[in-house]
Amino acid sequence: MTNLKYAAAIVLACVCLRANTQIKTQQIKRISPDLFGVFFEDLSYAADGGLYAELIQNRSFEYSPGDRKDWNPLTAWEYTTQGFAYGTISVETTHPINSNNPHYVMLTVEDAGQEGMGLTNSGYDGITIKAGEKYNFSVYIRQLSVAPVPMLVQLRGKKGVVCGSATFSTQVGDWKKYTAVITADQAADSAKLVLLAKTKCKLALDEISLFPQSTFKGETNGLRADLAQAIAGLQPKFMRFPGGCLVHGDGLGNMYRWKNTIGPVEQRIQQRNIWNYHQSVGLGFYEYFRFCEDIGAKPLPVVAAGVSCQNSGGTWRIGGTGQKGLTMTDMPEYIQDVLDLIEYANGPVTSKWGAKRAAAGHPESFHLQYIGIGNEDKQTDTFRERFKMIYNVVKTKHPEITIIGTVGPSPSGEDYDLGWKLADQLAVPVVDEHFYEKPEWFLSNNARYDTYRKSKSQVYIGEYASRGNTLINALSEAAFMTSIERNGDIVRMASYAPLLANQSHTSWNPNLIYFNNKTLAPTVNYYVQQLFSTNQGDSYISNVISFAGDNPKDSTLAASCVKDSKTGDIIFKIVNAGAQPTIARADLSGFTSLNSNATLKVLKGNPKDKNTVNDAGKIVPAISQISTAGLTSYSAPAYSLSVIRIKSKTN
Ligand code: AHR
């Protein structure tokens, strides 16, 4: 919806009430239906080794020193010669499955000995196996020797204990996919996958894969169920993907290219991850769109603005001079890629890219509504020229798509000012602001958006976090989020960042959800996000809640009141980031048809406490029922967020 339409919809009702001896006006204004969402970036092993449920690391032997200095095609693999087997192993590229996936292993078994010869994969810090769970194994094999080869695939726990196994047999011939299902008869935390040829033979092997059958919603090439469920539990209204800095990349050659990430996984083009590891792109744009659909989030893909990250090559140390622009010769093809992305998401099955979506199993549109162009780019002439080129074409050819521009990495400063100047010039519908600041900043900037003008671009706060995962961090974000609700006609969307981090591979802190192979820990910040996103109304009502003493200088107190018109429910969020309990007064006299009781969810504790993978439940919301009569004098505990939902009698 445009700003003007929003402006027209803003004042729906006014009720004058007497509160604290002053006449206060309760105004109701519409707020964005897409206010709270998530931002997913493949950072800190969020995708490979995280949300993407593949259990084999380096499944297609494409790791290289370009990903990380000490990596090579056999990283995470061991050559396995047990029981006096012998032969040779080599990594080859002369006859690959396809040219996008050039490396494979050639196994020449001279003598299979007593147990066989092959390869062992250690997964991402070991493979976690659940007893009774079924696992889908697959491998591509090109058999050069003539006689059929009996193969054995096993999951082995500590000391080589076999937790599950399967057998299959291969035939002479070109690349062919072989599959087997392994049922685990016992659990293991750090299992390995062992693949053995049991006779003398010559085999080329590639794309060795193992997925649990119980992925999120049981999808093939799917997502790790518990992590996906934790994201779904936020009920995000949108999901931004695939980054972050990952999008514009470490130099032009590392820019994220969505077309490389679709189609059969063995044909996708993998590349180095800017965060110092490898992207298998098994979690690619098709899977991102499908996940968004599964969790009811609007997809928000971000494409680079034709420039690489200004910090490419680590140049942040010398002022971020690593930004490079695609040549003008390359720009038309790049812009076509962006148009093709829209066609891939929304185009009819008769269109070139819509047909590819249908071929992947999804003839229906993905209903793409938003696209981000650029990620906190340095505002240079190089950037501006390319941004304008992409922006003008997308705007003209796809007026139905809302374009989100970018205004630098900080809440103020040169890139912010220049970014807004460009947004004003081009009337960009929405701009993406980022801020990673201390809790004090979030508390003292509660009024930030009160002075933004509705006539300008709307704001997407695409990345924000208060540099920590303690309760006080989360409460400072909660206080700020009440101001996002209050300005939900100006702030159209907001997402905490980053979302996921494997606790053994964090490239960035803080994050919203930490995990290891076995389990996960939603942070206190996660619960704040969840309490807001699952209690998002569609209109904001001002002047309902006041604090005793009403000291406008006390930045530790913040509150909001929203209404969900679908249910008629009224929701209060009350933040007390201070050390003393404080009375909050709710003026309910303007409301009719409300129940006399309400659900209260409180997040509170020691301001320095946080949830960790080893103590995931330290601070979680406590849920109770209260009488609404008490809300005229609600004691907000020290260091707390209280969310109070009063159901409508008609609901
Ligand atoms: O969220 C982590 C990083 O922070 C993102 O990749 C980047 O956009 C920002 O600098």
Side-chain angles (χ1 to χ4, degrees), residues 374-450:
N375 172 63
E376 60 173 48
D377 300 282
K378 201 168 177 67
Q379 302 281 318
T380 60
D381 288 342
T382 306
F383 163 79
R384 270 188 290 274
E385 186 181 16
R386 285 155 186 77
F387 178 87
K388 277 187 209 168
M389 289 171 77
I390 306 167
Y391 175 79
N392 286 333
V393 174
V394 174
K395 188 178 152 201
T396 308
K397 298 219 168 182
H398 288 285
E400 78 284 6
I401 298 286
T402 301
I403 299 173
I404 302 179
T406 178
V407 294
S410 311
S412 58
E414 190 183 25
D415 290 322
Y416 172 87
D417 292 339
L418 292 172
W420 266 103
K421 195 171 158 198
L422 183 67
D424 288 347
Q425 273 168 15
L426 301 177
V428 176
V430 185
V431 294
D432 178 11
E433 294 192 351
H434 293 178
F435 24 93
Y436 296 95
E437 300 288 338
K438 291 183 173 160
E440 299 75 36
W441 184 93
F442 282 89
L443 293 174
S444 59
N445 277 274
N446 195 282
R448 177 181 175 88
Y449 293 109
D450 294 348

Side-chain angles (χ1 to χ4, degrees), residues 338-354:
V338 179
L339 298 176
D340 291 344
L341 171 59
I342 297 169
E343 184 175 288
Y344 181 74
N346 291 355
V349 295
T350 48
S351 64
K352 178 177 172 193
W353 291 94

Side-chain angles (χ1 to χ4, degrees), residues 39 41 43 240 244-246 275 375-376 434 436 463 497-498 508:
F39 161 49
E41 175 165 14
L43 159 71
R240 173 178 174 231
C245 291
L246 186 92
W275 298 104
N375 172 63
E376 60 173 48
H434 293 178
Y436 296 95
E463 299 180 24
W508 185 284

